[in-house]
């Protein structure tokens, strides 16, 4: 199936065309980062307006790139897909409503997609060699500005949440640290870059809390405390440290970043290791914006090697929010019996895994 997918859950307006799950014919992402930079974070109203302004042009560009010179490129699309949640309500509404309009106008089926399931699918984009490979069950780790979750998957649309952050997401922890240290927004790439300037061993120079969630912490059914994490104490610890030892220059900032990043990466790697030890997985998939972090990629490669599972990493262009992951996942799902049943659905900002 060839699917046109739409993503607008946060601050990227994205449209892509994907065939057969992994063949990306076009993927256009309009990033709103410069619009939100002055505020140091995503402003939902600004995001929503920018989606409205850009979505049509982004869709037309994706279609033109996927089928250059084609007189009627819409005829080449078998179905439409869009993110229904989780995400910012006002932002989701733009893409979802645009997709509904297209489905109605074109008379093509509309497939609702869970953004987190799509991040977990993103590791397959551009990798047709994975099609026949025996990679299920898969342990997934989706790490972004809004989410940090461990997911056991039996297939593209068969997921069970094992644990997640009980407060801040990993990306949020990076963003808040960067704000404190004056490194700008988004914080993850800035902290990652600063940490690379630190000398060897700097990642162990300052001890930050590992974010353990106690066994008696009340959690929803099915979540395992040892696979949950709490990152909110980390930013408080950073603040306390910086107040006591104000950084005296770039070298101090680099050491702080290396140690802070190591705390996040260690917390995630330790939990991935625990999950892999507890059940017979065949692969470990890492998706989401934070999966761009070099230190996290290296740490999970070590964990996967130790546990004898195949590590699946998303291509850098598919780590952050994009629509190829939405279209890609939709293109391997069964078509809904009633092709327009999704028209009755609303967005769900807290759609669960
Ligand atoms: O998946 P994504 O693009 O959007 C959400 O769904 O949130 O993730 C964005 C997050 C931001 O918090 C950003 O700081 C973080 O991903 N990020 C990184 C890196 N690149 C982006 N975090 C750590 N290291 C990086 N290299
Ligand atoms: Zn995302």
């Amino acid at each position: 199936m060839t699917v046109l997918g739409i993503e607008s859950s946060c601050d990227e307006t994205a449209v892509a065309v994907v065939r057969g799950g992994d063949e990306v014919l076009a993927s256009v992402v309009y990033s709103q980062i410069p619009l939100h930079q002055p505020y140091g974070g995503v402003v939902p109203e600004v995001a929503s307006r920018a989606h409205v302004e850009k979505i049509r042009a982004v869709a037309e560009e994706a279609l033109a790139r996927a089928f250059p010179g084609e007189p009627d490129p819409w005829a080449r699309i078998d179905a439409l897909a869009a993110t229904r949640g989780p995400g910012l309500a006002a932002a989701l509404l733009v893409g979802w409503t645009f997709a509904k309009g297209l489905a109605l106008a074109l008379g093509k089926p509309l497939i609702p997609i869970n953004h987190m399931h799509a991040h977990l699918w993103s590791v397959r984009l551009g990798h047709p060699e994975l099609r026949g490979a025996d990679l299920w069950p898969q342990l997934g780790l989706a790490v972004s500005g809004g989410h940090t979750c461990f997911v056991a998957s039996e297939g593209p649309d068969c997921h069970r949440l094992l644990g997640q952050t009980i407060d801040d997401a990993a990306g949020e922890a990076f963003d808040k640290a960067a704000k404190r240290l004056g490194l700008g927004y988004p914080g993850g790439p800035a902290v990652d870059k600063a940490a690379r300037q630190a000398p060897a061993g700097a990642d162990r120079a300052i001890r930050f809390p590992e974010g353990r969630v106690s066994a008696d912490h009340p959690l929803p059914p099915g979540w395992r405390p040892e696979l949950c994490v709490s990152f909110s104490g980390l930013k408080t610890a950073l603040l306390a440290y910086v107040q006591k030892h104000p950084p005296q220059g770039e070298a101090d900032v680099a050491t702080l970043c290396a140690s802070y990043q190591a705390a996040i990466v260690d917390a995630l790697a330790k939990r991935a290791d625990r999950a892999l030890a507890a059940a017979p997985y065949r692969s470990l998939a890492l998706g989401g914006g934070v999966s761009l972090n070099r230190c996290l990629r290296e740490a999970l490669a070590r964990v996967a090697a130790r546990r004898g599972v195949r590590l699946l990493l998303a291509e850098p262009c598919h780590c952050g929010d994009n629509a190829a992951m939405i279209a890609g996942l939709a293109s391997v799902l069964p078509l809904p019996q009633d092709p327009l049943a999704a028209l009755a659905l609303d967005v769900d900002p807290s759609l669960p895994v």
Side-chain angles (χ1 to χ4, degrees):
M1 242 186 5
T2 303
V3 174
L4 181 125
I6 296 166
E7 155 64 34
S8 74
S9 66
C10 190
D11 59 344
E12 263 93 26
T13 317
V15 180
V17 181
V18 178
R19 182 159 57 203
D22 50 40
E23 192 189 342
V24 183
L25 303 182
S27 176
V28 180
V29 181
Y30 165 73
S31 169
Q32 304 176 357
I33 285 177
L35 299 181
H36 300 286
Q37 238 149 9
Y39 308 99
V42 178
V43 183
E45 176 65 19
V46 172
S48 175
R49 278 168 188 259
H51 286 314
V52 172
E53 282 166 15
K54 293 288 176 196
I55 196 152
R56 180 175 175 163
V58 170
E60 282 171 352
E61 188 177 336
L63 207 59
R65 279 199 214 169
F67 308 110
E70 187 85 32
D72 181 14
W74 288 111
R76 303 284 299 274
I77 302 293
D78 299 311
L80 301 151
T83 306
R84 219 193 119 214
L88 302 170
L92 286 164
L93 260 174
V94 179
W96 182 242
T97 310
F98 186 71
K100 281 183 176 181
L102 285 176
L104 263 179
L106 300 166
K108 295 192 192 268
L110 173 59
I111 305 168
I113 294 293
N114 179 313
H115 181 86
M116 302 315 293
H117 300 180
H119 269 307
L120 296 173
W121 184 260
S122 67
V123 297
R124 288 170 168 76
L125 297 170
H127 289 281
E129 77 279 6
L130 298 180
R131 275 188 200 184
D134 198 4
L135 297 168
W136 312 103
Q138 164 187 290
L139 175 70
L141 170 54
V143 269
S144 70
H147 294 88
T148 300
C149 47
F150 287 95
V151 181
S153 308
E154 298 285 341
D157 208 26
C158 182
H159 307 280
R160 191 160 45 91
L161 186 63
L162 300 172
Q164 65 171 36
T165 174
I166 59 163
D167 39 56
D168 293 353
E172 211 175 337
F174 275 108
D175 293 340
K176 284 177 177 169
K179 207 170 179 175
R180 283 269 168 269
L181 298 172
L183 297 176
Y185 168 85
V191 172
D192 193 355
K193 192 173 163 205
R196 285 183 214 196
Q197 315 303 321
D203 55 339
R204 305 288 154 205
I206 306 161
R207 285 273 156 212
F208 284 111
E210 77 143 274
R212 212 165 58 83
V213 173
S214 72
D216 52 12
H217 189 93
L219 293 171
W223 295 20
R224 290 160 43 189
E226 73 279 14
L227 299 182
C228 288
V229 65
S230 163
F231 283 129
S232 69
L234 204 53
K235 62 170 191 282
T236 317
L238 176 76
L239 184 65
Y241 186 91
V242 169
Q243 275 168 351
K244 226 168 151 185
H245 315 274
Q248 300 299 316
E250 277 184 20
D252 285 356
V253 170
T255 298
L256 265 168
C257 287
S259 294
Y260 188 89
Q261 174 174 271
I264 296 174
V265 168
D266 284 356
L268 297 174
K270 198 181 257 184
R271 283 157 184 76
D273 190 61
R274 275 181 200 147
L276 290 174
Y281 295 100
R282 290 206 175 86
S283 62
L284 168 61
L286 178 64
V290 180
S291 73
L292 282 167
N293 188 272
R294 191 197 44 156
C295 195
L296 179 62
R297 287 181 168 237
E298 289 170 1
L300 289 189
R302 287 192 292 273
V303 168
R306 182 161 61 239
R307 295 293 172 192
V309 301
R310 182 150 174 189
L311 179 67
L312 305 175
L313 295 172
E315 292 295 330
C317 61
H318 300 133
C319 286
D321 286 347
N322 67 87
M325 65 184 192
I326 307 298
L329 173 56
S331 69
V332 297
L333 297 182
L335 277 176
Q337 275 184 341
D338 172 359
L340 295 179
L343 292 182
L345 296 176
D346 202 350
V347 296
D348 184 348
S350 42
L351 190 66
V353 165

